[in-house]
Amino acid sequence: MNNDSSQLQRGLKNRHIQLIAMGGAIGTGLFLGSAQIIQSAGPSIILGYAIGGLIVFLIMRHLGEMIVEEPVAGSFSHFAYKYWGKFPGFITGWNYWVLYILVAMTELTAVGKYINYWWPQIPAWQSVLFFFVVITAVNLTNVKFYGESEFWLAIIKVTAVVAMILFGLFLLFTADANSTASFSNLWSHGGFFPHGFDGLFYMLAFLMFAFGGIELIGMAAAEAKDPKTTIPKAINQVVIRILVFYVGSLAILLSLVPWNQLDLGGLDKSPFVMIFSQMGIGWAAHLLNFIILTAALSVYNSGMYANSRMVFGLAQQGNAPKVFTKTNKQGVPVPAVLLSAFLIFGCVLLNYFVPEDALGHLMYVVVGALVLNWAMISLTHLKYRSHIKKAQIKTSYPALWSPFSNYLVLGFIAVVLYIMWQQGFKESVLMIPIWIVFMFIFYKFLNRKTEN
């Protein structure tokens, strides 16, 4: 291994960055998590994803302005550390790391559900263990191999979602009188807001889970070739992706079968699979389940990558043990990958002991860590803007409508926390201040040891 932290290699090409960005945004939150939201919000889920997408795009532009100027390992933790202070940098980095441990565990748990669709007799923990070993092995190879694996996993799901939309349109335009398929399903069964605006409003918090992972572009910046070109291109296409993959796919699918006739039965079933299954198109349901399986593996793969690079960045700052700055000859931070893998292994145990509740618990905890992560990005960006204004620096990729957009994002995050509190997830909200206090004590402890 090599102690030189510069050994991270710029092995990610433009096509890798594009697909990493796309891959991070299409996973369990859309394919599996949307089941509960459809039951509560009906067709208005489409508007919900459009609102969530706008907020996420603004956050991405905040992050984008900073990373295009300084494409470094550790991404927004580096910026919080540099422009805000040591503790904000410390908590931003560790929160992101914990977030992606949880995201990886969530996606891995979902993999067990998808395998059970075909083979219900296989215990979830066995599927989880198998794919845990495979993805860990992928992340221990060089970054080009990671980029290539993510490229093809993402290609599969992106192609599938587009094909599903086109097939859905074909079914809609060729529907006969006996078919359930009709665009009128979007407003005929209780209206676009069947449970009123409240039905959508109280789902906004859980809908945001689907967008977790979209900021992976920031983590890939340190290993991107020509980041000043590839990063803005990837971020600008976020809007198009959200419109196509979230808004477009759900609009088509909810037109095929009335939302109130879907047999979803909770978090365990994918509305995408169930729609084609109920229409009697078995081959499409099986194909879609395979696609969704690759989607979960893709986000898990990306999560493992993001985790290792964040620990690497934290170690460079002195906020994690120096052993995590070590890389092998291929530029892979092996100790950082193994640390993340060790904790993600907890997912195997979770699925062994509580397979029924594992996914639900993980998704709600993730949302708490996710909103703190997004809030830190927008707050850090405000500090960054203040710095460049004083230094009279003009950036090449300025954020949209800043500082108004920063306050809009922070206001939306406050609304998400209010929703979680009202909807019976007070534990997730209370965990945020407890986590901040815990991290502050940990930070002080580490600093005291350093001073001594």
Side-chain angles (χ1 to χ4, degrees), residues 96-296:
Y96 190 78
W97 182 73
V98 167
L99 166 64
Y100 261 92
I101 291 291
L102 292 167
V103 166
M105 290 171 79
T106 306
E107 298 293 342
L108 199 48
T109 298
V111 164
K113 305 286 184 192
Y114 303 139
I115 294 294
N116 282 156
Y117 178 76
W118 293 310
W119 301 290
Q121 72 278 10
I122 296 177
W125 71 268
Q126 290 182 7
S127 308
V128 168
L129 178 61
F130 173 78
F131 287 107
F132 165 79
V133 172
V134 171
I135 298 297
T136 302
V138 166
N139 276 269
L140 287 169
T141 58
N142 66 39
V143 72
K144 283 184 184 174
F145 187 77
Y146 158 74
E148 212 55 49
S149 67
E150 185 53 30
F151 176 81
W152 290 108
L153 281 171
I155 277 281
I156 290 170
K157 62 183 174 182
V158 168
T159 305
V161 173
V162 172
M164 182 178 62
I165 290 171
L166 294 174
F167 183 54
L169 284 170
F170 169 77
L171 293 174
L172 282 163
F173 287 120
T174 58
D176 57 31
N178 298 319
S179 174
T180 59
S182 169
F183 285 112
S184 64
N185 286 332
L186 296 178
W187 59 83
S188 297
H189 303 274
F192 188 68
F193 294 97
H195 299 303
F197 183 72
D198 279 7
L200 172 62
F201 178 76
Y202 286 110
M203 281 294 108
L204 281 175
F206 312 112
L207 172 153
M208 292 308 290
F209 171 81
F211 296 109
I214 212 162
E215 69 288 324
L216 267 168
I217 304 167
M219 298 309 301
E223 291 166 280
K225 288 182 176 177
D226 191 18
K228 283 189 180 290
T229 304
T230 55
I231 300 295
K233 192 183 286 185
I235 291 173
N236 287 340
Q237 288 176 4
V238 164
V239 171
I240 299 163
R241 291 182 196 120
I242 288 166
L243 287 173
V244 172
F245 298 125
Y246 288 85
V247 178
S249 63
L250 284 163
I252 299 301
L253 287 170
L254 291 176
S255 298
L256 293 174
V257 175
W259 71 273
N260 56 350
Q261 290 176 27
L262 277 174
D263 177 27
L264 295 173
L267 281 168
D268 287 2
K269 294 182 181 178
S270 166
F272 288 70
V273 173
M274 295 315 296
I275 283 169
F276 287 110
S277 185
Q278 280 181 231
M279 292 183 78
I281 310 171
W283 65 267
H286 285 293
L287 179 61
L288 205 51
N289 195 62
F290 169 73
I291 303 306
I292 294 169
L293 173 64
T294 64

Side-chain angles (χ1 to χ4, degrees), residues 109 113 123-125 268 349-360:
T109 298
K113 305 286 184 192
W125 71 268
D268 287 2
L349 303 177
L350 195 63
N351 278 275
Y352 181 79
F353 292 110
V354 283
E356 300 84 9
D357 304 324
L359 187 65

Side-chain angles (χ1 to χ4, degrees), residues 293-355:
L293 173 64
T294 64
L297 288 171
S298 163
V299 178
Y300 168 40
N301 192 26
S302 293
M304 179 80 90
Y305 169 80
N307 273 332
S308 59
R309 269 51 179 185
M310 182 55 85
V311 172
F312 178 87
L314 283 164
Q316 282 187 316
Q317 296 167 5
N319 286 326
K322 283 294 174 192
V323 66
F324 297 117
T325 61
K326 290 186 176 182
T327 61
N328 63 13
K329 288 178 182 177
Q330 286 74 44
V332 177
V334 174
V337 172
L338 292 177
L339 174 67
S340 299
F342 175 74
L343 286 166
I344 292 167
F345 183 74
C347 180
V348 178
L349 303 177
L350 195 63
N351 278 275
Y352 181 79
F353 292 110
V354 283

